[in-house]
Amino acid sequence: MPRSQFTLDELRTVLREAAGTDEGVDLDGDIIDVSFDALGYESLALLETASRIERDHGISLDEEALVAAKTPRELIDLVNAHLAAA
Amino acid sequence: MTTATWVTGLAVAAPTGLTVEEYWAATLAGRSAIGPVTRFDASSYPARLAGEITGFAAEEHLPSRLLPQTDRMTQLALAGSDWAFANAGVDPAQLPEFDIGVITASHSGGFEFGQNELRALWSKGGRYVSAYQSFAWFYAVNSGQISIRHGLRGPSSVVVSDQAGGLDAVAQARRQIRKGTPMVISGAVDASLCPWGWVAQLTSGRLSTRDDPGRAYLPFDDDAAGHVPGEGGALLVLESAEHARTRGAGRVYGEIAGYAATTDPRRGSGREPTLRNAIEGALADAGVEPADIGAVFADAAAVPELDRVEAEAIAKVFGPSAVPVTAPKTMTGRLYSGAAPLDLAAAFLALRDGVIPPTINIRPSRRYDLDLVTGAPRAAPLRCVLVVARGHGGLNSAMVVRAVDRPAPPNR
């Protein structure tokens, strides 16, 4: 059992604080498989988001894996894999 | 024949008003916004007064996506760019993307943002520094963010030359229009009223340390003792005359008619300062004589030696007390790069309304041969106005703006 699970709701909170929300995007909607690009988040927004997740959870995400995570589901899976290994 | 550069849109973000008309009404009324610093606790600093913008809530003007990545100066500049295009009656999305450029000036970049991230760095560690620090502090960030927000892909740059930069940027915008870009949004907004910005400005030795807002910033007064810093500036939509005519621009505030810039010789060289050359160069560039200039908006350093140099330059070019001189920045404090664009806005409104706004609080020194407009605005038929701006280290810039006569628009 992983010690904690990183959830979509937590990601929503971090995204809002780190990078805000694009006009016309409903972050509370069904976004789990929507690309970050379509949600209006460019690489710097995701870097800031990842940085906050890392320091909140005491983990260090692999940069290449981070760049490869194109959707909320992929990023959440990546974070949870790190939490499970921690 | 080079194309004329017209100003067809204005936006101001001033301590005395966030709309053109609010700012202009306050300026004609001689209302000051200088008061004790409230943005941070300045009680332990030598200088404690500022011209602050109140009543600007960035979240009311910008999407939340932009808030975590922008300094206050950028938030003001982005809102200002919206207002300037609206004032010009231009929807940038309706023009070809390479037809509009953005050229702003910056004094010190996003100081408050930088301060917050530096504090995070040394109090909590590098993991707490925002990824947006990579650009949010940077001099060019206002140009970049305005470009992104409005999809502008024409010539884009930033000019960094302290207070002179406000004119230098507009001059650069005019160059790009002469080279064929139909429209450029230009000007500057500066805001660095935070402890880090404050200590940086204190090193100039030019900040007033007085506590009485009515006696703190007194250019051309025997009691001059430095300036009060302020925040804000103005953005101008510049357009080739042909483009403005073709699209049927609703407003033409006037023309950027002449410009020149000089650099002073090294201190102690024994050579004369060169502000006079900048003024004469701007007049020559505009093709006008000193007698054609109806008013001068002075740099107004309020440092006795700098006041003397400016007063002598004006008196030599125009003759003793031969042209009305004013410094409405006595109401806002000095806005660094934002000061001259705001003076340009005031100059265009002065042309429009035939009135010169006053310099407040001062008793003009008898040492200077200047006809200072004090106390109340002065009615004057104006055709050309000169704006002067100087930057730290001997940078002098001067710009002539001129009224544009247009046939009355047809009734619609």
Side-chain angles (χ1 to χ4, degrees), chain B residues 63-149:
Chain B
S64 70
R65 195 69 184 73
L66 286 171
L67 300 179
Q69 55 176 286
T70 42
D71 182 79
R72 177 173 171 84
M73 66 153 196
T74 306
Q75 294 169 356
L76 287 163
L78 283 168
S81 69
D82 292 355
W83 303 334
F85 282 124
N87 188 259
V90 168
D91 176 1
Q94 299 301 314
L95 290 174
E97 59 186 356
F98 287 99
D99 277 8
I100 313 180
V102 49
I103 299 173
T104 64
S106 180
H107 169 258
S108 47
F111 246 72
E112 191 170 17
F113 196 102
Q115 170 176 328
N116 289 337
E117 300 315 310
L118 280 173
R119 181 191 289 131
L121 175 65
W122 51 251
S123 65
K124 291 191 270 187
R127 288 158 76 102
Y128 288 81
V129 176
S130 166
Y132 293 116
Q133 168 70 357
S134 54
F135 62 72
W137 75 274
F138 191 51
Y139 303 104
V141 70
N142 287 359
S143 285
Q145 288 281 20
I146 290 171
S147 160
I148 294 167
R149 179 164 176 79

Side-chain angles (χ1 to χ4, degrees), chain B residues 309-389:
Chain B
V309 168
E310 185 170 27
E312 286 182 4
I314 292 170
K316 279 178 182 162
V317 174
F318 295 95
S321 300
V323 64
V325 176
T326 192
K329 57 171 71 77
T330 46
M331 301 169 217
T332 62
R334 286 171 74 81
L335 309 183
Y336 302 95
S337 292
L342 190 63
D343 275 345
L344 287 175
F348 283 118
L349 296 165
L351 288 178
R352 183 191 71 182
D353 293 349
V355 61
I356 304 167
T359 309
I360 65 163
N361 295 328
I362 69 161
R363 286 189 301 264
S365 168
R366 290 167 180 269
R367 285 180 291 172
Y368 309 131
D369 291 324
L370 293 181
D371 172 18
L372 282 154
V373 178
T374 59
R378 187 187 299 178
L382 299 171
R383 295 291 304 164
C384 294
V385 171
L386 175 77
V387 176
V388 176

